[in-house]
Amino acid sequence: MSPSSLLERSLRSVWHPCTQMKQHETLPLVPIVRGEGPWLVDDSGRRLLDGISSWWVNLFGHCNPRINAALREQLETLEHVMLAGFTHEPVVQLSERLAALTGHRLGHAFYASDGASATEIALKMSAHYWRNAGRPEKSRFVSLAGSYHGETVGALAVTDVAIFRDAYAPLVRAGTTVPTPDARLALPGETAADVARRAAAGLEAHLAQHHAQTAALIVEPLVQGASGMVMYDPEYLRRARELCDRYEVHLVADEIAVGCGRTGTFFACEQAGIWPDFLCLSKGISGGYLPLSLVLSTGAIFTAFYDDSAARGFLHSHSYTGNPLACRAALATLDIFEQDDVLAANRLLARQLGDGIRERFDGHARVRHLRQRGMIIAFDVDTERADFSRRFFAAGLDHGVLLRPIGNTVYFMPPYVIGAEEIRHLVDGAAAALAAALA
Ligand SMILES: *Cc1c(COP(=O)(O)O)cnc(C)c1O
């Protein structure tokens, strides 16, 4: 390894995210030089199948020709303008199209750049709504056990993943967690819907006592991603919607990971037949190209801020709010959904992917709780090895797949452009990585 290699330079100057940097003494960084569809290519020409969509953001492959073309055109027209006092076609079109996708129930889009900021915007808007409504004591938040809504200090208030929160606990005004509807918690004879009803009873008990101080419940609809692809029955969302209505508490759907078709419908909430008061999107919305996040909200929320008084307005901003390039990438992404009828195509693709994975891993002596929701498939591995995830990841690279287990949970969340041949490669690579990690 030459001292000036990309890897060495990166370790000297870049502080990598979600990483104990010392681990890179033994586990090398992977210098990526190119992307092609579902593939990443490293500096030695090795091809890696991106089985987790580069942290769940990529939908239609790397260097997608259609998104590239849209961005090139935008680049020659308008790269950026501030959104306070100004507007532009891409941000208006995107807002209109997203509103239409909610059947105009969530007709007001507020923009930021990353997911955690979308969480913070939804929480701030909710609390500010209640303040404007003359009920400032409604300023507490409720989330599910094992929830993940981002890692800024505000978002950590509703994130219940110890490794992300513990070191910063003194900085955080923590919300309350209520039971998760995790389907794995089913008692003998219970269905996933039974678990959902049991968890909803826990939510009800909390709201019955604390609704007067509670602004909002925030949930990851159907799949709690970062705590290990925890899946649950849509019945929970229906009950949560009812309880939030009954106790006058906002429902925030964090669809940052599960939105944009990931679970089978464009928004995961659609599978429960409910709509939230706030809906957060990020990750896939720009096709995985550019940092973009947004919060959709209802007319009732918007109206509560609409006033002659500046202080009643939502005075929140980010420098890159509504960036035209990011919005244009999102429009190109929505175009692909429409032109290719992606949701229909994904029903078939999800079946092929699920069948391929089940064929190989169902019945494996160490595999537990193989589960699927649309284009997300996961299983837990029965192992005592504390370094299982790292060993699996490293072995996966040796077999040409990018898979990064969360603890003992192996999951697959590939871009929507993966073909039959590539599914085979992914499953073979995962099987080899599992054998190596357990050896
Ligand atoms: C990734 C994620 C976030 C945070 O998004 P960032 O862009 O990483 O800040 C929030 N909520 C959920 C459900 C996520 O998966």
Side-chain angles (χ1 to χ4, degrees):
M1 186 191 314
S2 86
S4 62
S5 73
L6 195 55
L7 186 163
E8 287 291 316
R9 280 164 49 216
S10 194
L11 289 179
R12 223 177 300 129
S13 57
V14 182
W15 200 336
H16 290 266
C18 203
T19 299
Q20 169 48 267
M21 292 295 291
K22 188 163 193 290
Q23 285 177 358
H24 283 308
E25 287 180 5
T26 50
L27 181 67
L29 280 166
V30 186
I32 295 299
V33 295
R34 224 152 30 83
E36 284 173 16
W39 297 92
L40 294 166
V41 183
D42 80 3
D43 62 349
S44 67
R46 176 175 62 169
R47 288 162 66 79
L48 296 170
L49 190 61
D50 189 351
I52 61 167
S53 300
S54 287
W55 258 355
W56 323 348
V57 300
N58 191 287
L59 300 189
F60 298 119
H62 297 278
C63 294
N64 181 288
R66 285 190 271 178
I67 303 176
N68 284 8
L71 278 176
R72 264 190 215 104
E73 194 189 86
Q74 187 60 44
L75 205 46
E76 298 299 333
T77 314
L78 176 67
E79 85 302 339
H80 183 68
V81 62
M82 61 191 282
L83 199 64
F86 296 85
T87 193
H88 51 81
E89 186 66 30
V91 79
V92 174
Q93 261 194 43
L94 181 58
S95 306
E96 289 171 347
R97 287 177 70 175
L98 289 169
L101 284 170
T102 70
H104 300 282
R105 290 168 184 88
L106 298 162
H108 303 273
F110 195 99
Y111 290 87
S113 310
D114 56 78
S117 295
T119 295
E120 300 225 357
I121 287 163
L123 300 184
K124 283 178 68 178
M125 263 188 188
S126 171
H128 197 163
Y129 170 95
W130 293 116
R131 179 184 159 90
N132 282 352
R135 299 170 76 180
E137 65 288 350
K138 282 172 82 69
S139 67
R140 311 295 310 197
F141 300 103
V142 182
S143 63
L144 303 184
S147 56
Y148 179 92
H149 298 290
E151 294 169 49
T152 53
V153 171
L156 282 175
V158 289
T159 284
D160 181 37
V161 179
I163 193 165
F164 298 132
R165 200 179 62 184
D166 284 358
Y168 315 104
L171 313 184
V172 175
R173 181 173 177 261
T176 305
T177 56
V178 290
T180 168
D182 183 350
R184 293 173 302 182
L185 300 175
L187 302 169
E190 260 190 340
T191 63
D194 293 331
V195 181
R197 282 185 279 269
R198 189 148 52 76
L203 172 63
E204 176 160 23
H206 178 81
L207 292 183
Q209 206 180 342
H210 299 288
H211 63 93
Q213 294 79 43
T214 304
L217 164 71
I218 183 167
V219 298
E220 295 161 84
L222 301 183
V223 184
Q224 295 183 274
S227 59
M229 300 301 157
V230 170
M231 299 189 187
Y232 64 87
D233 193 275
E235 177 65 13
Y236 185 81
L237 297 173
R238 283 188 285 274
R239 300 248 162 167
R241 179 69 274 179
E242 279 171 32
L243 291 168
C244 285
D245 287 342
R246 188 182 324 151
Y247 288 105
E248 297 186 288
V249 165
H250 291 138
L251 177 61
V252 181
D254 175 353
E255 299 229 5
I256 290 167
V258 296
C260 302
R262 194 45 87 172
T263 66
T265 41
F266 191 84
F267 300 112
C269 280
E270 293 174 73
Q271 290 178 56
I274 60 124
W275 291 98
D277 303 290
F278 300 92
L279 191 149
C280 306
L281 281 185
S282 187
K283 293 202 165 104
I285 187 61
S286 72
Y289 265 67
L290 287 160
L292 177 67
S293 67
L294 58 103
V295 178
L296 301 175
S297 60
T298 62
I301 303 284
F302 180 78
T303 305
F305 290 82
Y306 200 82
D307 197 85
D308 291 325
S309 151
R312 285 176 67 95
F314 189 59
L315 304 184
H316 180 107
S317 58
H318 297 284
S319 308
Y320 283 97
T321 297
N323 174 257
L325 284 165
C327 291
R328 192 60 191 270
L331 288 168
T333 299
L334 294 182
D335 286 343
I336 296 175
F337 269 99
E338 270 180 35
Q339 290 161 8
D340 296 3
D341 198 355
V342 168
L343 295 176
N346 274 7
R347 279 193 281 279
L348 181 63
L349 184 58
R351 180 139 28 92
Q352 290 170 339
L353 184 65
D355 286 350
I357 291 166
R358 273 185 295 271
E359 227 167 74
R360 190 69 62 95
F361 296 103
D362 232 358
H364 185 290
R366 308 288 279 278
V367 168
R368 308 279 180 271
H369 298 294
L370 205 164
R371 52 197 183 272
Q372 175 171 15
R373 176 72 69 179
M375 288 295 290
I376 309 174
I377 300 167
F379 57 75
D380 305 332
V381 176
D382 182 14
T383 170
E384 300 289 304
R385 292 202 87 111
D387 57 352
F388 171 78
S389 170
R390 260 185 299 147
R391 286 170 60 90
F392 187 105
F393 168 71
L397 296 180
D398 291 338
H399 291 90
V401 295
L402 163 46
L403 289 170
R404 207 165 175 272
I406 301 170
N408 291 357
T409 300
V410 173
Y411 72 93
F412 304 84
M413 205 161 159
Y416 307 161
V417 292
I418 186 171
E421 194 70 33
E422 288 149 348
I423 289 176
R424 252 192 308 279
H425 177 85
L426 187 62
V427 173
D428 288 346
L434 181 61
L438 291 175

